[in-house]
């Protein structure tokens, strides 16, 4: 890594000498490997690495970014030339200058430790692990007609340096697992489920997922929903959603609209803008029971980091506090525009893309109710524990979640399984309808998509069970 | 070491170390882009990247990988690792030998190399598009313009040594007449002459201005006139489900329906990488097979899945030249146009909705095709063949097979579409679809 630090310093000096007022060099080495099983048969082994450097410069208020994976000084300086040239060209038609918030320049080396190192986990052991899971899937007395499961791991090593003196290096290993399952019962039809697990750390993280137990239970649940569920009730009623649904709500209805680049219009043509405006801090968006945070510092989490990809120290951000918009997710550019400091939300998925405002681990904070207590307050309603289909408009106001595992609630108790209840609701109505929050905080791993070029980013989405009053429920079809 | 030799050197080292089969592909990519928002560039981006991908097999044990920053010294280690991993993997029941034979490849593909040197000119194109939108009355614009150039070099243990070049320009432009009145358009071309950022800016601006003061949509079943962007989003989704891999893992509504009527008689969808000048024009696939024009759906009947050697073997079919080693996919989707002039389509619709764009399609069940997608940008209520007023807040909540079965009219002009939501180049006419289920959110 000393070579990389030296190369970075040369790059930064060269950028300043060729007209940049600010420059940063970000080296990533991402090695990855994986293996997948289709209906119990190994598909093959995958491995490889992405290694390169991205250089970002400010020239006359224009922002340029260039990347290469040929890490020779002469190639990298050519890349700097291009970044400077393009930044200068774009500055000519700008009426406002881009600048970055002033931040402390850290010199730090952080890394995620592995109690059991991933590299010591042999390929044959991983394949045995997957085969055991596949056997679990087919030994539940249920026809799982299609099973596609896979394990992969990615080890990211990064060195970040800028012309303000920051030098941050990091090492993060991330294991992940996916499953696609189709359960078939010919008279009743077909039901499907996709699952993703992920975290930062070693083999101990994989063990903590308790996949054998969860996959076995999931298959049985799918069969129950397929064979026993009745048409979902329709109308305005009380709803309890499980942690998985709370997680996607926190991500889509609070995290994304709270990204300051969207609020300021920078993602306008792709991921869109936001229902929030720059002056919306303290705006009431939900009941006092709703508190949403984004926190990259949770040990073992999929979205874990201690310093972001602009060298800014990471911290927990309150996006919604007691029902009011509290803080936006900020990088240095958006922070400068809003006249505040960055809160360390800049991430780049690989060396060849610019860092943009991203979530890390976004979740609804737990309350003090048990699930039984949440249910006990519902005379007639629906419990939506998991979902498959979802989407939301590009201002993050109009969203839809279609339940997968779901039940009627009658007199405070879970009773009959119901088929695909639909929650299609505005953000304010959704958050305003929450009257009680569970204490059963849990997370799911996901890969969040944003940016153009697209950047897939590892995140956690989470929350406890939530009770919502007077929500419209409909069935599919 | 010259990069041009790298893939061949890697292949020789792999075969020298005893792999049964190998394909090595070197991709050399140069891409420049300018993102913009609020009428101004937000960042200028460029990348210059070489990637080496390797497929190897030993006694039906298979490895697939991709590597970057590959130097001569490092190549030894990579090849050693690849061989070790290949040997240590169990045989795969999905193995199929690499295709062998005397293949005829199309010749004469034209590539506009001037696209490589545009760089600063991209900024001028952004200005053109923004200006065009402003002239329509739209106050703000955002978007991205890409110039892409790539050389792909393939060498295989089956004796192939192939090279192909690609160049394209794409602009995705969105205009805002107000925060809720937006319009989107694209310009995509493999030639400078065919690229028209001004036109994209003008069309997006016009849609945005027409969308001012929308009223909340009423739920129900509507006949819908789909413009090129939303219809391309739908058709790229549909054609993607023809992948033999998705079909075989039951993640496609086309599974088990070969030869069945799954769509309207009006609908014919092909994968056509042979289209001269096509955004997805491709001469050979990742196994070195010549690509071909493959009819996926013909007059509503499912005719072919898209195969690589693996999926073809499982299906008892032949490769269609669509590899991906693991997952075959379309290269250049083409929906056959109809006979109706585009300017007559609203009249043909009569009463219903005119939708210009969508995003965020997600499925509840891939086998059944139950899905929803959010209506985005200009959306209009139509009566007597005329736009009455813009609408907002809607979502298509329906089924993919039902959607393609209810196509009743296709226009006579094809649009090339490639953007954030339609990743695989897709050529579509505009379309009228009957009885589309539209929902809206509770709480508006």
């Amino acid at each position: 890594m000393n070579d990389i630090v030296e190369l970075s310093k040369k790059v930064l000096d060269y950028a300043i000498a060729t007209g940049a007022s600010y420059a940063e060099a970000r080296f990533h080495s991402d090695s990855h490997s994986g293996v997948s099983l289709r209906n119990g048969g190994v598909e093959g082994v995958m491995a490889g690495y992405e290694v390169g450097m991205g250089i970002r410069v400010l020239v006359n208020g224009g922002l340029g970014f260039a990347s290469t994976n040929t890490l020779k000084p002469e190639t990298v300086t050519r890349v700097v030339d291009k970044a400077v040239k393009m930044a200068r060209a774009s500055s000519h038609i700008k009426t406002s200058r881009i600048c970055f918030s002033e931040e402390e320049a850290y010199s730090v080396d952080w890394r995620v430790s592995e109690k059991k190192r991933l590299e010591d986990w042999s390929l044959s052991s991983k394949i045995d692990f997957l085969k055991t899971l596949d056997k679990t899937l087919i030994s539940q007395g249920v026809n799982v007609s299609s099973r596609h499961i896979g394990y992969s791991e990615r080890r990211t090593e990064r060195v970040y340096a800028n012309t303000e003196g920051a030098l941050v290096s990091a090492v993060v290993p991330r294991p992940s697992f996916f499953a696609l399952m189709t359960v078939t019962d010919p008279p009743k039809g077909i039901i499907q489920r996709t699952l993703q697990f992920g975290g930062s750390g070693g083999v101990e993280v994989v063990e903590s997922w308790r996949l054998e137990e969860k996959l076995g239970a999931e298959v049985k649940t799918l069969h129950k929903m397929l064979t026993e569920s009745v048409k979902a009730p329709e109308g305005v009623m009380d709803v309890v959603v499980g942690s998985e649904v709370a997680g996607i709500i926190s991500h889509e209805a609070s995290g994304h609209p709270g990204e300051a680049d969207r609020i300021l219009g920078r993602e306008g043509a792709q991921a869109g803008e936001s229902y929030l405006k720059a002056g919306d801090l303290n705006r009431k968006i939900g009941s006092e029971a709703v508190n949403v945070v984004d926190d990259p510092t949770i040990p073992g989490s999929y979205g874990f980091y201690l310093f972001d990809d602009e060298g800014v120290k990471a911290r927990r951000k309150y996006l919604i506090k007691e029902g009011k918009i509290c803080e936006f997710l900020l990088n240095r550019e958006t922070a400068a525009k809003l006249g505040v400091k960055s809160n360390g939300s800049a991430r780049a998925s690989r060396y060849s893309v610019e860092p943009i405002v991203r979530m890390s681990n976004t979740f609804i904070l737990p309350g003090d109710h048990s699930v039984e207590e949440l249910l006990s307050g519902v005379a007639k309603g629906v419990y939506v524990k998991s979902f498959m289909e979802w989407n939301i408009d590009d201002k993050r106001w109009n969203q839809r979640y279609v339940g997968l595992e779901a039940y009627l609630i009658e007199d405070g108790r879970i009773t009959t399984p119901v088929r695909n209840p639909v929650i299609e609701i505005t953000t304010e109505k959704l958050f305003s309808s929450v009257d009680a929050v569970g204490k059963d905080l849990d997370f799911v791993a996901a890969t969040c998509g944003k940016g153009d070029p697209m950047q897939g980013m590892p995140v956690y989405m989470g929350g406890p069970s939530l009770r919502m009053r007077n929500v419209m429920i409909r069935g599919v079809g | 070491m010259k990069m041009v030799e790298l893939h061949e050197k890697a292949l020789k080292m792999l075969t020298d170390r005893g792999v049964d089969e190998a394909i090595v592909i070197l991709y050399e990519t140069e891409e420049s882009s300018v993102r913009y928002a609020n009428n101004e560039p937000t960042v200028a981006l460029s990348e210059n990247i070489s990637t080496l991908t390797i497929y190897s097999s030993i006694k039906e044990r298979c490895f697939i990988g991709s590597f970057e920053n590959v130097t001569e010294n490092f190549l030894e280690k990579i090849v050693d690792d690849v061989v070790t991993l290949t040997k240590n993997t169990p045989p795969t029941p999905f193995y199929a030998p690499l295709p062998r034979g005397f293949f005829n490849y199309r010749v004469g593909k034209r590539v506009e190399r001037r696209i490589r040197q545009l760089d600063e000119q991209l900024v001028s194109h952004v200005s053109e598009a923004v200006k065009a939108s402003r002239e329509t009355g739209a106050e703000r614009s955002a978007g991205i313009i890409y110039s892409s150039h790539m050389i792909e070099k393939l060498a295989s243990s089956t004796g192939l040594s192939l090279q192909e070049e690609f160049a394209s320009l794409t602009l995705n432009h969105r205009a805002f007449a107000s925060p809720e009145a937006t319009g989107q358009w694209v310009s995509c071309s493999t030639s400078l002459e065919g690229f028209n950022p001004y036109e994209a800016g003008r069309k997006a601006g016009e849609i945005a201005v027409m969308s001012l003061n929308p009223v909340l949509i009423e739920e129900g079943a509507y006949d819908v006139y789909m413009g090129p962007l939303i219809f391309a989003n739908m058709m790229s989704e549909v054609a993607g489900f023809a992948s033999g891999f998705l079909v075989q893992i039951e993640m496609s509504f086309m599974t088990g329906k070969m030869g069945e009527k799954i769509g309207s008689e009006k609908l014919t969808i092909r994968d056509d990488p042979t289209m001269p000048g096509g955004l997805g024009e491709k001469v050979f696939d990742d196994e070195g097979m010549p690509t071909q024009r493959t009819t996926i759906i013909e007059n509503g009947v499912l005719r072919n899945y898209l195969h690589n050697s693996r999926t073809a073997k499982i299906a008892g079919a032949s490769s269609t030249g669509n590899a991906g080693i693991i997952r075959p996919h379309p290269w250049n989707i083409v929906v056959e146009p109809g006979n109706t002039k585009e300017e007559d389509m609203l009249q043909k619709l009569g009463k219903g909705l005119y939708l210009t764009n969508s995003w965020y399609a997600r499925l509840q069940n891939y086998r059944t095709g139950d899905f929803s997608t959010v209506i985005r940008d200009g959306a209009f209520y139509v009566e007597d063949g005329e736009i009455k007023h813009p609408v907002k807040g809607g979502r298509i909540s329906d089924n993919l097979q039902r959607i393609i079965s209810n196509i009743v009219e296709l226009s006579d002009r094809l649009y090339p579409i490639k953007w954030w939501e339609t990743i695989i180049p897709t050529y579509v006419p505009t379309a009228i679809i009957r009885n589309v289920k539209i929902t809206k959110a509770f709480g508006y």
Side-chain angles (χ1 to χ4, degrees), chain B residues 7-9 11-12 15 21-26 97-105 152-163 283-291 309 323 325:
Chain B
H7 63 301
E8 287 173 342
K9 178 149 189 157
L11 176 68
K12 183 167 187 317
T15 50
E21 296 177 306
I23 299 175
V24 185
I25 308 178
L26 179 66
L98 288 178
R100 286 176 182 271
F102 296 100
F103 301 128
N104 287 317
Y105 298 96
E152 177 182 354
K153 298 166 183 171
L154 179 151
S156 77
S157 58
T158 52
L160 299 176
S161 178
L162 304 168
Q163 178 166 325
V283 173
F284 57 87
D285 73 2
D286 290 1
E287 297 177 330
M289 278 286 287
T291 59
S309 294
I325 296 285

Side-chain angles (χ1 to χ4, degrees), chain A residues 34-187:
Chain A
V35 59
S36 57
L37 259 58
R38 191 200 311 181
N39 293 337
V42 174
E43 290 191 299
V45 172
M46 284 140 271
Y49 53 79
E50 300 162 9
V51 186
M53 184 175 277
I55 294 126
R56 197 164 66 146
V57 296
L58 277 172
V59 182
N60 300 336
L63 186 62
F65 176 85
S67 61
T68 182
N69 58 8
T70 304
L71 295 175
K72 295 174 184 166
E74 62 274 20
T75 312
V76 179
T77 51
R78 272 206 304 277
V79 166
V80 174
D81 287 339
K82 194 150 186 174
V84 169
K85 182 175 76 169
M86 296 285 284
R88 184 172 283 128
S90 65
S91 75
H92 291 154
I93 62 166
K94 286 183 72 66
T95 56
S96 60
R97 294 167 70 91
I98 293 169
C99 57
F100 290 167
S101 59
E102 286 189 16
E103 303 292 342
E104 188 172 342
Y106 289 93
S107 186
V108 63
D109 179 359
W110 65 274
R111 56 188 59 218
V112 170
S113 61
E114 299 164 85
K115 286 180 188 155
K116 297 182 187 175
R117 296 194 316 166
L118 294 173
E119 66 180 47
D120 294 338
W121 197 20
S122 70
L123 175 61
S124 60
S125 300
K126 287 169 189 165
I127 292 169
D128 288 346
F129 169 70
L130 289 178
K131 290 204 161 183
T132 303
L133 293 178
D134 189 71
K135 278 184 189 149
T136 302
L137 288 173
I138 58 175
S139 59
Q140 305 300 320
V142 171
N143 178 19
V144 191
S145 57
S146 178
R147 307 161 331 260
H148 192 225
I149 60 174
Y151 167 80
S152 61
E153 58 194 41
R154 175 172 281 259
R155 182 181 181 83
T156 300
E157 298 185 27
R158 297 181 179 195
V159 177
Y160 169 89
N162 68 23
T163 48
E164 294 164 353
L167 179 61
V168 179
S169 55
V171 180
V172 186
R174 281 195 181 90
S176 61
F177 171 84
F178 76 87
L180 313 176
M181 298 172 287
T182 301
V183 170
T184 305
D185 196 322

Side-chain angles (χ1 to χ4, degrees), chain A residues 32 38 41-51 63-71 82-83 85-87 89-90 93-96 98 123 127 145-146 148 180 182 184 190-192 194 236 252 262 264-273 277 333 351-352 354 356 388-400 402-404 420 424-426 429 449-454 470-472 474-477, chain B residues 30-51 62-70 74 78 85 88-94 116 119-120 122-123 126-127 140 142-144 146 172-174 176 179-180 184 219 245 248-251 310-311 314 326 359-368 370-374 376 393-395 397 419-420 437 439-444:
Chain A
H32 53 88
R38 191 200 311 181
V42 174
E43 290 191 299
V45 172
M46 284 140 271
Y49 53 79
E50 300 162 9
V51 186
L63 186 62
F65 176 85
S67 61
T68 182
N69 58 8
T70 304
L71 295 175
K82 194 150 186 174
K85 182 175 76 169
M86 296 285 284
S90 65
I93 62 166
K94 286 183 72 66
T95 56
S96 60
I98 293 169
L123 175 61
I127 292 169
S145 57
S146 178
H148 192 225
L180 313 176
T182 301
T184 305
I190 292 160
I191 191 166
Q192 297 188 311
T194 58
V236 174
E252 301 289 11
R262 299 176 69 117
L264 296 169
R266 198 180 190 270
E267 289 286 325
Q270 296 88 15
E273 298 190 339
K277 300 296 165 211
E333 181 186 347
Y351 68 87
S352 58
E354 58 163 347
I356 55 175
M388 268 287 281
E389 175 192 326
W390 90 101
N391 48 37
I392 188 165
D393 72 351
D394 66 315
K395 286 197 280 294
R396 305 281 159 176
W397 190 249
N398 161 12
Q399 63 224 276
R400 172 179 168 105
V402 181
L404 186 65
N420 300 340
E424 195 165 351
I425 192 168
T426 65
K429 183 73 181 171
K450 184 182 172 186
D452 195 352
M454 174 59 82
N470 300 317
V471 168
M472 174 68 81
R474 288 180 297 194
V476 166
Chain B
E30 286 177 73
E31 189 165 86
S32 294
S33 56
V34 177
R35 295 189 70 177
Y36 55 101
N38 300 316
N39 299 334
E40 297 194 351
T42 52
V43 64
L45 306 153
S46 70
E47 65 176 42
N48 191 332
I49 288 172
S50 297
T51 307
C62 300
F63 169 88
I64 302 137
S66 67
F67 305 89
E68 296 187 356
N69 190 31
V70 179
F74 227 36
I78 289 170
L85 278 169
N88 290 342
T89 306
T92 172
F94 312 108
R116 286 175 83 167
D119 289 355
E120 290 128 307
L122 297 181
V123 177
V126 168
S127 294
R140 292 192 294 126
I144 186 164
Y146 280 103
N172 164 29
H173 183 91
R174 195 177 196 199
F176 295 73
E180 58 182 11
Q184 194 140 353
E219 287 194 337
F245 177 80
Q248 288 165 9
I249 66 167
E250 298 193 40
M251 295 301 280
R310 279 187 169 207
T311 60
I314 293 167
I326 296 281
W359 90 315
Y360 222 138
R362 290 292 183 276
L363 282 86
Q364 178 73 8
N365 187 321
Y366 294 81
R367 279 294 303 274
T368 62
D370 291 338
F371 85 114
S372 65
T373 187
V374 182
R376 153 171 171 160
R395 174 181 278 104
S397 305
W419 72 292
W420 206 64
K437 191 178 171 199
T439 58
K440 71 174 178 189
F442 175 60
Y444 265 113

Side-chain angles (χ1 to χ4, degrees), chain B residues 222-228 230-231 341-357 380 382 387 409-411 415 429-434 436:
Chain B
Y222 289 85
D223 295 344
V224 170
Y225 173 46
M226 291 192 182
I230 179 172
F231 195 51
K341 293 208 171 310
E342 195 176 309
E343 53 268 33
D344 296 335
M345 291 292 272
L346 275 184
Q347 203 59 47
K348 291 262 185 187
L349 175 73
K351 181 180 175 183
L353 295 175
Y354 165 36
L355 306 179
T356 65
N357 203 5
F380 308 94
V382 177
I387 290 173
E409 208 71 51
L410 294 168
S411 69
Y415 289 88
T430 58
I432 296 172
I433 301 166
R434 296 289 180 213
V436 177

